[in-house]
Coordinates of all heavy atoms in Angstrom, one line a residue:
D220 N 90.0 163.5 56.4 CA 89.2 164.6 55.9 C 88.6 164.4 54.5 O 87.5 164.7 54.2 CB 90.0 165.9 55.9 CG 90.4 166.4 57.4 OD1 89.7 165.9 58.3 OD2 91.3 167.2 57.5
A221 N 89.5 163.8 53.6 CA 89.0 163.5 52.3 C 87.9 162.5 52.3 O 86.9 162.5 51.5 CB 90.2 163.0 51.4
I222 N 88.0 161.5 53.2 CA 86.9 160.5 53.2 C 85.6 161.1 53.8 O 84.6 160.9 53.2 CB 87.4 159.4 54.1 CG1 88.5 158.5 53.5 CG2 86.2 158.4 54.5 CD1 89.2 157.5 54.4
R223 N 85.8 161.9 54.8 CA 84.6 162.5 55.4 C 83.9 163.6 54.5 O 82.7 163.8 54.5 CB 84.9 163.1 56.8 CG 85.2 162.1 57.8 CD 85.3 162.7 59.2 NE 85.8 161.8 60.2 CZ 85.0 160.9 60.8 NH1 83.7 160.9 60.5 NH2 85.5 160.1 61.7
A224 N 84.8 164.2 53.6 CA 84.2 165.1 52.7 C 83.3 164.5 51.7 O 82.3 165.0 51.3 CB 85.4 165.8 51.9
V225 N 83.5 163.2 51.3 CA 82.7 162.5 50.4 C 81.6 161.7 51.2 O 80.4 161.6 50.7 CB 83.5 161.5 49.5 CG1 82.6 160.7 48.6 CG2 84.6 162.3 48.7
H226 N 82.0 161.1 52.3 CA 81.1 160.3 53.0 C 81.1 160.7 54.5 O 81.6 160.1 55.4 CB 81.6 158.9 53.0 CG 81.5 158.3 51.6 ND1 80.4 158.2 50.8 CD2 82.5 157.7 50.9 CE1 80.7 157.6 49.7 NE2 82.1 157.4 49.6
P227 N 80.4 161.8 54.8 CA 80.3 162.4 56.2 C 79.6 161.4 57.2 O 79.8 161.6 58.4 CB 79.6 163.7 56.0 CG 78.8 163.5 54.8 CD 79.6 162.7 53.9
Q228 N 78.9 160.4 56.7 CA 78.2 159.5 57.5 C 79.1 158.4 58.2 O 78.6 157.7 59.1 CB 77.1 158.7 56.7 CG 76.2 159.6 55.8 CD 76.7 159.6 54.4 OE1 77.9 159.8 54.2 NE2 75.8 159.3 53.5
V229 N 80.4 158.3 57.8 CA 81.2 157.2 58.4 C 81.3 157.4 59.9 O 81.4 158.5 60.4 CB 82.6 157.1 57.7 CG1 82.4 156.7 56.3 CG2 83.4 158.4 57.9
L230 N 81.3 156.3 60.6 CA 81.3 156.4 62.1 C 82.6 156.7 62.6 O 82.8 157.4 63.6 CB 80.8 155.0 62.7 CG 79.4 154.6 62.2 CD1 79.2 153.2 62.7 CD2 78.4 155.5 62.7
A231 N 83.7 156.1 62.0 CA 85.1 156.4 62.5 C 86.0 156.1 61.3 O 85.7 155.4 60.4 CB 85.4 155.5 63.7
V232 N 87.2 156.7 61.4 CA 88.3 156.5 60.4 C 89.6 156.3 61.1 O 90.0 157.1 62.0 CB 88.4 157.7 59.4 CG1 89.5 157.5 58.4 CG2 87.1 158.0 58.7
T233 N 90.3 155.2 60.8 CA 91.6 154.9 61.4 C 92.6 154.6 60.3 O 92.2 154.2 59.2 CB 91.6 153.7 62.4 OG1 91.4 152.5 61.7 CG2 90.4 153.9 63.4
G234 N 93.8 154.7 60.6 CA 94.9 154.5 59.6 C 95.3 153.1 59.4 O 94.8 152.1 60.0
A235 N 96.4 152.9 58.6 CA 96.9 151.5 58.3 C 97.4 150.8 59.6 O 98.0 151.5 60.5 CB 98.0 151.6 57.2
H236 N 97.1 149.6 59.7 CA 97.6 148.6 60.8 C 97.4 149.3 62.2 O 98.2 149.0 63.1 CB 99.0 148.1 60.6 CG 100.1 149.1 60.5 ND1 100.8 149.6 61.5 CD2 100.6 149.7 59.3 CE1 101.7 150.4 61.1 NE2 101.6 150.5 59.8
Q237 N 96.3 150.1 62.4 CA 96.0 150.6 63.7 C 95.0 149.7 64.4 O 93.8 150.1 64.5 CB 95.5 152.1 63.6 CG 96.6 153.0 63.1 CD 96.1 154.5 63.0 OE1 94.9 154.7 63.1 NE2 97.1 155.4 62.8
Y238 N 95.5 148.5 64.7 CA 94.5 147.5 65.2 C 93.7 147.9 66.4 O 92.5 147.7 66.5 CB 95.2 146.2 65.5 CG 96.2 145.7 64.4 CD1 97.5 145.4 64.6 CD2 95.7 145.6 63.1 CE1 98.3 145.0 63.6 CE2 96.5 145.1 62.1 CZ 97.8 144.9 62.3 OH 98.7 144.4 61.3
E239 N 94.4 148.5 67.4 CA 93.8 148.9 68.7 C 92.7 150.0 68.4 O 91.5 149.8 68.9 CB 94.8 149.5 69.6 CG 95.9 148.6 70.0 CD 95.4 147.4 70.8 OE1 94.3 147.5 71.4 OE2 96.1 146.4 70.9
Q240 N 93.0 150.9 67.5 CA 92.0 151.9 67.2 C 90.8 151.4 66.5 O 89.6 151.9 66.8 CB 92.6 153.1 66.4 CG 93.6 153.9 67.1 CD 95.0 153.4 67.0 OE1 95.2 152.1 66.9 NE2 96.1 154.2 66.9
V241 N 91.0 150.4 65.6 CA 89.9 149.9 64.9 C 88.9 149.1 65.9 O 87.7 149.2 65.9 CB 90.3 148.9 63.8 CG1 89.1 148.2 63.1 CG2 91.2 149.6 62.8
V242 N 89.5 148.3 66.7 CA 88.7 147.5 67.7 C 88.0 148.4 68.7 O 86.8 148.2 69.0 CB 89.7 146.5 68.5 CG1 88.9 145.9 69.6 CG2 90.3 145.5 67.5
E243 N 88.7 149.5 69.1 CA 88.0 150.5 70.0 C 86.8 151.1 69.3 O 85.8 151.3 69.9 CB 89.1 151.5 70.4 CG 88.5 152.5 71.4 CD 89.5 153.6 71.8 OE1 90.8 153.2 71.8 OE2 89.3 154.7 72.1
A244 N 86.9 151.4 68.0 CA 85.9 152.1 67.3 C 84.7 151.1 67.1 O 83.5 151.5 67.3 CB 86.3 152.5 65.9
V245 N 84.9 149.8 66.9 CA 83.9 148.8 66.8 C 83.2 148.7 68.2 O 82.0 148.7 68.3 CB 84.5 147.5 66.4 CG1 83.4 146.3 66.5 CG2 84.9 147.5 65.0
H246 N 84.0 148.7 69.3 CA 83.4 148.6 70.6 C 82.5 149.8 70.9 O 81.5 149.6 71.5 CB 84.5 148.6 71.7 CG 85.2 147.2 71.8 ND1 86.0 146.8 72.8 CD2 85.2 146.1 71.0 CE1 86.4 145.6 72.7 NE2 85.9 145.1 71.5
T247 N 82.9 150.9 70.4 CA 82.1 152.1 70.7 C 80.8 152.1 69.9 O 79.7 152.4 70.4 CB 82.9 153.4 70.2 OG1 84.1 153.5 71.0 CG2 82.1 154.6 70.4
H248 N 80.8 151.7 68.6 CA 79.7 151.8 67.7 C 78.8 150.5 67.7 O 77.7 150.5 67.2 CB 80.1 152.3 66.3 CG 80.7 153.7 66.4 ND1 79.9 154.8 66.5 CD2 82.0 154.1 66.3 CE1 80.7 155.8 66.5 NE2 82.0 155.4 66.4
A249 N 79.4 149.4 68.1 CA 78.6 148.2 68.2 C 79.2 147.4 69.4 O 79.9 146.4 69.3 CB 78.8 147.3 66.9
P250 N 78.8 147.8 70.6 CA 79.4 147.2 71.8 C 79.2 145.7 71.8 O 78.1 145.2 71.5 CB 78.6 147.9 73.0 CG 78.2 149.2 72.4 CD 77.9 148.9 70.9
P251 N 80.2 144.9 72.2 CA 80.0 143.5 72.3 C 78.9 143.0 73.2 O 78.8 143.5 74.3 CB 81.4 142.9 72.6 CG 82.0 144.1 73.4 CD 81.5 145.3 72.7
S252 N 78.0 142.1 72.7 CA 76.9 141.8 73.5 C 77.2 140.6 74.5 O 76.5 140.5 75.5 CB 75.7 141.3 72.6 OG 76.1 140.4 71.7
Q253 N 78.2 139.9 74.2 CA 78.6 138.8 75.0 C 79.9 139.0 75.8 O 80.1 138.4 76.9 CB 78.7 137.5 74.2 CG 77.4 137.1 73.5 CD 77.5 135.8 72.7 OE1 78.6 135.2 72.7 NE2 76.5 135.3 72.2
G254 N 80.8 139.7 75.3 CA 82.0 139.9 75.9 C 83.0 138.8 75.6 O 82.6 137.8 75.2
P255 N 84.3 139.0 75.9 CA 85.3 137.9 75.7 C 85.0 136.8 76.6 O 84.4 136.9 77.6 CB 86.6 138.7 75.9 CG 86.2 139.8 76.8 CD 84.8 140.2 76.5
F256 N 85.7 135.7 76.3 CA 85.8 134.5 77.2 C 84.4 133.7 77.2 O 84.2 132.9 78.1 CB 86.3 134.8 78.6 CG 87.4 135.8 78.6 CD1 87.3 137.0 79.3 CD2 88.6 135.5 78.0 CE1 88.3 137.9 79.3 CE2 89.6 136.4 77.9 CZ 89.5 137.6 78.7
V257 N 83.5 134.2 76.4 CA 82.2 133.4 76.4 C 82.5 131.9 75.9 O 82.0 131.0 76.5 CB 81.2 134.0 75.4 CG1 80.0 133.1 75.2 CG2 80.7 135.4 76.0
D258 N 83.3 131.8 74.9 CA 83.7 130.5 74.4 C 85.2 130.3 74.8 O 86.0 131.0 74.3 CB 83.6 130.5 72.8 CG 83.9 129.1 72.3 OD1 84.4 128.3 73.1 OD2 83.6 128.9 71.1
L259 N 85.4 129.5 75.8 CA 86.7 129.2 76.3 C 87.6 128.3 75.5 O 88.7 128.0 75.8 CB 86.6 128.7 77.8 CG 86.0 129.8 78.7 CD1 85.9 129.2 80.1 CD2 86.7 131.1 78.7
I260 N 87.0 127.7 74.4 CA 87.8 126.8 73.6 C 88.6 127.7 72.6 O 88.1 128.5 72.0 CB 86.8 125.9 72.7 CG1 86.0 125.0 73.7 CG2 87.7 125.0 71.8 CD1 85.0 124.2 72.9
P261 N 89.9 127.6 72.6 CA 90.8 128.4 71.8 C 90.4 128.3 70.3 O 90.1 127.2 69.9 CB 92.2 127.8 72.1 CG 92.1 127.1 73.3 CD 90.7 126.6 73.5
Q262 N 90.4 129.4 69.6 CA 90.0 129.4 68.3 C 91.2 129.7 67.4 O 92.1 130.5 67.8 CB 89.0 130.5 68.0 CG 87.6 130.3 68.8 CD 86.8 129.1 68.1 OE1 86.9 128.9 66.9 NE2 86.2 128.3 69.0
P263 N 91.4 129.2 66.2 CA 92.4 129.5 65.3 C 92.3 131.0 64.8 O 91.2 131.5 64.8 CB 92.3 128.5 64.2 CG 90.9 128.1 64.2 CD 90.4 128.2 65.6
D264 N 93.4 131.6 64.4 CA 93.3 132.8 63.8 C 92.4 132.8 62.6 O 92.4 131.8 61.8 CB 94.7 133.4 63.4 CG 95.6 133.6 64.6 OD1 95.0 133.7 65.7 OD2 96.8 133.8 64.4

């Protein structure tokens, strides 16, 4: 609420280490154009 009071334009707000919610918000507001498994070579973290 404090963030939206100053910046009502933000697309989504999630809390600390809420990885699933962050990824879900990105998928919602910038849907992946290629999807997973496009590059099947394992990538390092």
Side-chain angles (χ1 to χ4, degrees):
D220 291 344
I222 292 171
R223 292 188 185 280
V225 179
H226 299 299
Q228 311 97 309
V229 295
L230 301 175
V232 180
T233 71
H236 59 89
Q237 294 181 348
Y238 310 126
E239 300 293 339
Q240 292 90 325
V241 177
V242 171
E243 185 178 329
V245 172
H246 283 194
T247 299
H248 296 286
S252 51
Q253 297 183 357
F256 317 121
V257 169
D258 186 350
L259 296 179
I260 300 174
Q262 297 288 323
D264 291 346

